[in-house]
Amino acid sequence: MRALLLVNPKATSTHRRTRDVLIRALGAAVDLSVEETAYRGHATALAATAHAKGFDTVAVLGGDGTINETVNGLLDARPAGGASERPALIVIPGGSANVFARALGLPNNPVEATGAVLEALREGRRRTIGLGQAIWHDEVSGPDPGAGAPPDQQRSRYFTFCAGLGYDAEVVRAVEGLRSAGHRALPALYVNTTVRHFFVTDRRRPAIRLTRPGQPPEDGIFMAIVSNTSPWTYAGTRPINPTPWAGFETGLDMLGLRRMGLPTVLALARQIIGEHRGLPRGKHLVQLHDEAEFTLHASRPVAFQLDGDYLGEHEWVIFRAIPDALQVLV
């Protein structure tokens, strides 16, 4: 088996010695080629060539951002035959949260995860998973999707575990700014930023409207979390799970908030932090499960994030479920 390993040398939870050990372990099991990513989007470009170069699998040692880039490269290459013809994906967590790897059931430790991956290789264990896709206009004030924006003016990107419009994306934007200033991507950074930003976000004028085929629109939404699996993210070891029914084998789930007052948000937090099975309850919640497609419109440009990557402010985003999109060795 030929495998291409993409390594993010700036991954937050690994260092050179650990990476060398993992590379040797994988190299003993497969015919391994190694590439280090050098800039944003590099993993996408490298993964897009993997099928044409004859690689059977693409492994990623990095965080959720590097994994997302790799997945988009694999799907953008579009070999005939779909998921069964694409190189399979191997995930070795190297970031701070590693939401996708943990959702697949892999250990959060990169060395332990490599052991699990080697076991999957020996036993030929593969899992076919669905992904989400987001489509939006390249300009902040682009045409509404109902007006038929030309395809060459639209952008799209696949996501593995989550996307969001509103407050959560504003937090991602703020954290990215802090990281670029030299702060480490520790759980405390996200928690502190989430709390501080709550008091500066717009909690009086909801901007988001939900539309979906065959259903009446729902207005007055402040923020919307879109999930392809659960949990949505982690605060250290504790899962945060606003959409507990989401899974790789179903369509997309969504949780929207129609009120952003402190009592409402605290009541929601008590229901979604930690090991909870049931759906959050509250009259100010908008919830979707197993949806094939829906659109979030905004009356003004709002922040948008995808797999923890801030993608600017937009006035509409279409979300689609892409079933059986990718094979993963787990």
Side-chain angles (χ1 to χ4, degrees), residues 240-275:
I240 302 177
N241 211 348
T243 53
W245 292 357
F248 292 123
E249 288 75 34
T250 62
L252 299 176
D253 287 23
M254 191 202 84
L255 176 72
L257 270 68
R258 281 203 177 102
R259 181 172 289 183
M260 284 287 290
L262 186 58
T264 301
V265 173
L266 289 176
L268 176 64
R270 285 193 293 269
Q271 296 183 71
I272 68 175
I273 298 176
E275 299 290 345

Short mmCIF file of all heavy atoms in Angstrom, two decimals, residues 240-275:
data_model
loop_
_atom_site.label_atom_id
_atom_site.label_comp_id
_atom_site.label_asym_id
_atom_site.label_seq_id
_atom_site.Cartn_x
_atom_site.Cartn_y
_atom_site.Cartn_z
N ILE A 240 -18.68 19.20 24.23
CA ILE A 240 -19.75 20.19 24.13
C ILE A 240 -20.65 19.74 22.98
O ILE A 240 -20.21 19.64 21.84
CB ILE A 240 -19.21 21.60 23.88
CG1 ILE A 240 -18.26 22.00 25.02
CG2 ILE A 240 -20.34 22.61 23.76
CD1 ILE A 240 -17.62 23.35 24.84
N ASN A 241 -21.91 19.44 23.32
CA ASN A 241 -22.74 18.66 22.41
C ASN A 241 -24.13 19.28 22.21
O ASN A 241 -25.12 18.79 22.73
CB ASN A 241 -22.89 17.24 22.96
CG ASN A 241 -23.04 16.22 21.86
OD1 ASN A 241 -23.25 16.57 20.70
ND2 ASN A 241 -22.93 14.95 22.22
N PRO A 242 -24.22 20.36 21.42
CA PRO A 242 -25.53 20.96 21.18
C PRO A 242 -26.41 20.17 20.23
O PRO A 242 -27.63 20.39 20.19
CB PRO A 242 -25.17 22.33 20.57
CG PRO A 242 -23.85 22.11 19.93
CD PRO A 242 -23.13 21.11 20.79
N THR A 243 -25.82 19.25 19.46
CA THR A 243 -26.57 18.44 18.49
C THR A 243 -26.23 16.97 18.68
O THR A 243 -25.55 16.36 17.86
CB THR A 243 -26.24 18.88 17.05
OG1 THR A 243 -24.80 18.86 16.89
CG2 THR A 243 -26.74 20.29 16.76
N PRO A 244 -26.68 16.35 19.77
CA PRO A 244 -26.22 15.00 20.11
C PRO A 244 -26.67 13.91 19.15
O PRO A 244 -26.12 12.80 19.19
CB PRO A 244 -26.82 14.77 21.51
CG PRO A 244 -27.99 15.68 21.57
CD PRO A 244 -27.60 16.89 20.77
N TRP A 245 -27.66 14.17 18.28
CA TRP A 245 -28.11 13.15 17.34
C TRP A 245 -27.34 13.18 16.02
O TRP A 245 -27.55 12.33 15.16
CB TRP A 245 -29.59 13.33 17.05
CG TRP A 245 -30.49 13.04 18.23
CD1 TRP A 245 -30.11 12.59 19.46
CD2 TRP A 245 -31.91 13.16 18.28
NE1 TRP A 245 -31.18 12.43 20.29
CE2 TRP A 245 -32.32 12.78 19.59
CE3 TRP A 245 -32.89 13.57 17.37
CZ2 TRP A 245 -33.65 12.78 19.98
CZ3 TRP A 245 -34.22 13.58 17.76
CH2 TRP A 245 -34.60 13.18 19.05
N ALA A 246 -26.46 14.14 15.84
CA ALA A 246 -25.71 14.25 14.59
C ALA A 246 -24.74 13.07 14.45
O ALA A 246 -24.19 12.58 15.44
CB ALA A 246 -24.94 15.56 14.54
N GLY A 247 -24.53 12.63 13.22
CA GLY A 247 -23.62 11.51 12.98
C GLY A 247 -23.16 11.46 11.55
O GLY A 247 -23.79 12.04 10.65
N PHE A 248 -22.07 10.75 11.30
CA PHE A 248 -21.50 10.65 9.96
C PHE A 248 -22.40 9.88 8.99
O PHE A 248 -22.21 9.95 7.79
CB PHE A 248 -20.13 9.96 10.02
CG PHE A 248 -19.07 10.76 10.71
CD1 PHE A 248 -18.38 10.24 11.80
CD2 PHE A 248 -18.74 12.03 10.28
CE1 PHE A 248 -17.39 10.96 12.44
CE2 PHE A 248 -17.75 12.77 10.91
CZ PHE A 248 -17.07 12.24 11.99
N GLU A 249 -23.36 9.12 9.52
CA GLU A 249 -24.22 8.31 8.67
C GLU A 249 -25.57 8.97 8.39
O GLU A 249 -26.43 8.39 7.74
CB GLU A 249 -24.46 6.93 9.31
CG GLU A 249 -23.25 6.01 9.29
CD GLU A 249 -22.19 6.41 10.31
OE1 GLU A 249 -22.56 6.90 11.39
OE2 GLU A 249 -20.99 6.24 10.01
N THR A 250 -25.78 10.17 8.92
CA THR A 250 -27.04 10.89 8.70
C THR A 250 -26.76 12.21 8.00
O THR A 250 -25.61 12.55 7.71
CB THR A 250 -27.76 11.15 10.03
OG1 THR A 250 -26.93 11.99 10.86
CG2 THR A 250 -28.06 9.85 10.76
N GLY A 251 -27.86 12.96 7.73
CA GLY A 251 -27.70 14.29 7.16
C GLY A 251 -27.19 15.27 8.20
O GLY A 251 -26.64 14.89 9.24
N LEU A 252 -27.39 16.56 7.94
CA LEU A 252 -26.87 17.60 8.82
C LEU A 252 -27.86 17.95 9.92
O LEU A 252 -29.07 17.89 9.72
CB LEU A 252 -26.55 18.85 8.01
CG LEU A 252 -25.50 18.69 6.91
CD1 LEU A 252 -25.36 19.99 6.14
CD2 LEU A 252 -24.16 18.25 7.48
N ASP A 253 -27.34 18.34 11.08
CA ASP A 253 -28.14 18.83 12.19
C ASP A 253 -27.83 20.31 12.40
O ASP A 253 -26.77 20.81 12.00
CB ASP A 253 -27.83 18.06 13.47
CG ASP A 253 -28.42 16.65 13.45
OD1 ASP A 253 -28.67 16.12 12.34
OD2 ASP A 253 -28.63 16.08 14.53
N MET A 254 -28.76 21.00 13.05
CA MET A 254 -28.55 22.42 13.35
C MET A 254 -29.18 22.80 14.67
O MET A 254 -30.26 22.29 15.01
CB MET A 254 -29.14 23.30 12.25
CG MET A 254 -28.72 24.77 12.34
SD MET A 254 -29.83 25.92 11.49
CE MET A 254 -31.08 26.16 12.77
N LEU A 255 -28.53 23.67 15.39
CA LEU A 255 -29.10 24.31 16.57
C LEU A 255 -29.00 25.81 16.39
O LEU A 255 -27.90 26.34 16.16
CB LEU A 255 -28.37 23.90 17.85
CG LEU A 255 -28.85 24.60 19.12
CD1 LEU A 255 -30.23 24.08 19.53
CD2 LEU A 255 -27.87 24.42 20.27
N GLY A 256 -30.14 26.49 16.47
CA GLY A 256 -30.16 27.94 16.38
C GLY A 256 -30.71 28.54 17.66
O GLY A 256 -31.55 27.93 18.34
N LEU A 257 -30.24 29.74 18.00
CA LEU A 257 -30.71 30.46 19.19
C LEU A 257 -31.48 31.70 18.76
O LEU A 257 -30.96 32.53 18.01
CB LEU A 257 -29.54 30.87 20.08
CG LEU A 257 -29.09 29.87 21.16
CD1 LEU A 257 -28.47 28.66 20.51
CD2 LEU A 257 -28.13 30.54 22.12
N ARG A 258 -32.72 31.80 19.27
CA ARG A 258 -33.54 32.98 19.01
C ARG A 258 -33.40 34.04 20.11
O ARG A 258 -33.95 35.13 19.97
CB ARG A 258 -35.02 32.58 18.90
CG ARG A 258 -35.41 31.96 17.57
CD ARG A 258 -36.90 32.14 17.37
NE ARG A 258 -37.33 31.65 16.09
CZ ARG A 258 -37.95 30.49 15.89
NH1 ARG A 258 -38.17 29.70 16.93
NH2 ARG A 258 -38.35 30.14 14.69
N ARG A 259 -32.73 33.72 21.15
CA ARG A 259 -32.49 34.68 22.23
C ARG A 259 -31.06 34.49 22.73
O ARG A 259 -30.59 33.37 22.86
CB ARG A 259 -33.49 34.49 23.36
CG ARG A 259 -33.32 35.49 24.51
CD ARG A 259 -34.45 35.41 25.52
NE ARG A 259 -35.69 35.94 24.96
CZ ARG A 259 -36.82 36.05 25.66
NH1 ARG A 259 -36.86 35.66 26.91
NH2 ARG A 259 -37.90 36.55 25.09
N MET A 260 -30.40 35.62 23.01
CA MET A 260 -29.00 35.56 23.45
C MET A 260 -28.81 36.19 24.83
O MET A 260 -27.72 36.64 25.17
CB MET A 260 -28.10 36.27 22.43
CG MET A 260 -27.85 35.47 21.16
SD MET A 260 -26.74 34.07 21.40
CE MET A 260 -25.18 34.89 21.67
N GLY A 261 -29.89 36.24 25.62
CA GLY A 261 -29.75 36.73 26.98
C GLY A 261 -28.94 35.78 27.84
O GLY A 261 -28.86 34.57 27.56
N LEU A 262 -28.34 36.29 28.89
CA LEU A 262 -27.48 35.48 29.74
C LEU A 262 -28.22 34.28 30.34
O LEU A 262 -27.68 33.17 30.33
CB LEU A 262 -26.86 36.34 30.83
CG LEU A 262 -25.81 35.67 31.71
CD1 LEU A 262 -24.65 35.14 30.89
CD2 LEU A 262 -25.30 36.66 32.77
N PRO A 263 -29.45 34.43 30.86
CA PRO A 263 -30.14 33.25 31.41
C PRO A 263 -30.37 32.17 30.37
O PRO A 263 -30.21 30.97 30.66
CB PRO A 263 -31.47 33.83 31.91
CG PRO A 263 -31.20 35.26 32.16
CD PRO A 263 -30.23 35.67 31.11
N THR A 264 -30.71 32.56 29.13
CA THR A 264 -30.94 31.57 28.06
C THR A 264 -29.66 30.82 27.73
O THR A 264 -29.65 29.59 27.60
CB THR A 264 -31.48 32.26 26.80
OG1 THR A 264 -32.70 32.93 27.12
CG2 THR A 264 -31.72 31.26 25.69
N VAL A 265 -28.56 31.56 27.60
CA VAL A 265 -27.29 30.94 27.23
C VAL A 265 -26.77 30.04 28.35
O VAL A 265 -26.26 28.93 28.10
CB VAL A 265 -26.27 32.02 26.86
CG1 VAL A 265 -24.88 31.41 26.64
CG2 VAL A 265 -26.71 32.77 25.61
N LEU A 266 -26.91 30.47 29.59
CA LEU A 266 -26.47 29.63 30.70
C LEU A 266 -27.30 28.35 30.81
O LEU A 266 -26.77 27.26 31.08
CB LEU A 266 -26.54 30.41 32.01
CG LEU A 266 -25.51 31.53 32.19
CD1 LEU A 266 -25.76 32.28 33.49
CD2 LEU A 266 -24.10 30.98 32.15
N ALA A 267 -28.62 28.47 30.57
CA ALA A 267 -29.47 27.28 30.59
C ALA A 267 -29.08 26.30 29.50
O ALA A 267 -29.06 25.08 29.71
CB ALA A 267 -30.94 27.69 30.44
N LEU A 268 -28.73 26.82 28.33
CA LEU A 268 -28.28 25.95 27.24
C LEU A 268 -26.94 25.31 27.58
O LEU A 268 -26.75 24.10 27.36
CB LEU A 268 -28.17 26.76 25.95
CG LEU A 268 -27.62 26.00 24.73
CD1 LEU A 268 -28.55 24.86 24.33
CD2 LEU A 268 -27.39 26.95 23.56
N ALA A 269 -26.02 26.09 28.14
CA ALA A 269 -24.70 25.56 28.47
C ALA A 269 -24.80 24.38 29.44
O ALA A 269 -24.07 23.38 29.30
CB ALA A 269 -23.83 26.66 29.07
N ARG A 270 -25.69 24.47 30.41
CA ARG A 270 -25.85 23.36 31.36
C ARG A 270 -26.32 22.08 30.66
O ARG A 270 -26.02 20.98 31.14
CB ARG A 270 -26.85 23.76 32.45
CG ARG A 270 -26.28 24.73 33.48
CD ARG A 270 -27.19 24.85 34.69
NE ARG A 270 -28.47 25.48 34.35
CZ ARG A 270 -28.70 26.78 34.42
NH1 ARG A 270 -27.74 27.61 34.81
NH2 ARG A 270 -29.89 27.27 34.13
N GLN A 271 -27.01 22.22 29.55
CA GLN A 271 -27.54 21.05 28.85
C GLN A 271 -26.57 20.44 27.84
O GLN A 271 -26.76 19.29 27.45
CB GLN A 271 -28.83 21.43 28.11
CG GLN A 271 -29.96 21.86 29.00
CD GLN A 271 -31.22 22.13 28.19
OE1 GLN A 271 -31.86 21.22 27.66
NE2 GLN A 271 -31.56 23.41 28.06
N ILE A 272 -25.58 21.19 27.41
CA ILE A 272 -24.75 20.70 26.31
C ILE A 272 -23.30 20.42 26.72
O ILE A 272 -22.57 19.79 25.95
CB ILE A 272 -24.76 21.68 25.12
CG1 ILE A 272 -24.06 23.00 25.46
CG2 ILE A 272 -26.19 21.92 24.64
CD1 ILE A 272 -23.93 23.96 24.29
N ILE A 273 -22.87 20.87 27.89
CA ILE A 273 -21.49 20.61 28.31
C ILE A 273 -21.45 19.33 29.14
O ILE A 273 -22.17 19.18 30.11
CB ILE A 273 -20.94 21.79 29.13
CG1 ILE A 273 -20.90 23.06 28.28
CG2 ILE A 273 -19.54 21.47 29.64
CD1 ILE A 273 -20.46 24.29 29.03
N GLY A 274 -20.60 18.40 28.72
CA GLY A 274 -20.50 17.12 29.40
C GLY A 274 -21.26 16.04 28.67
O GLY A 274 -21.70 16.19 27.53
N GLU A 275 -21.40 14.91 29.31
CA GLU A 275 -22.03 13.73 28.69
C GLU A 275 -23.54 13.80 28.81
O GLU A 275 -24.12 13.43 29.82
CB GLU A 275 -21.49 12.44 29.34
CG GLU A 275 -19.99 12.25 29.20
CD GLU A 275 -19.57 11.94 27.77
OE1 GLU A 275 -20.45 11.59 26.95
OE2 GLU A 275 -18.37 12.04 27.47
#
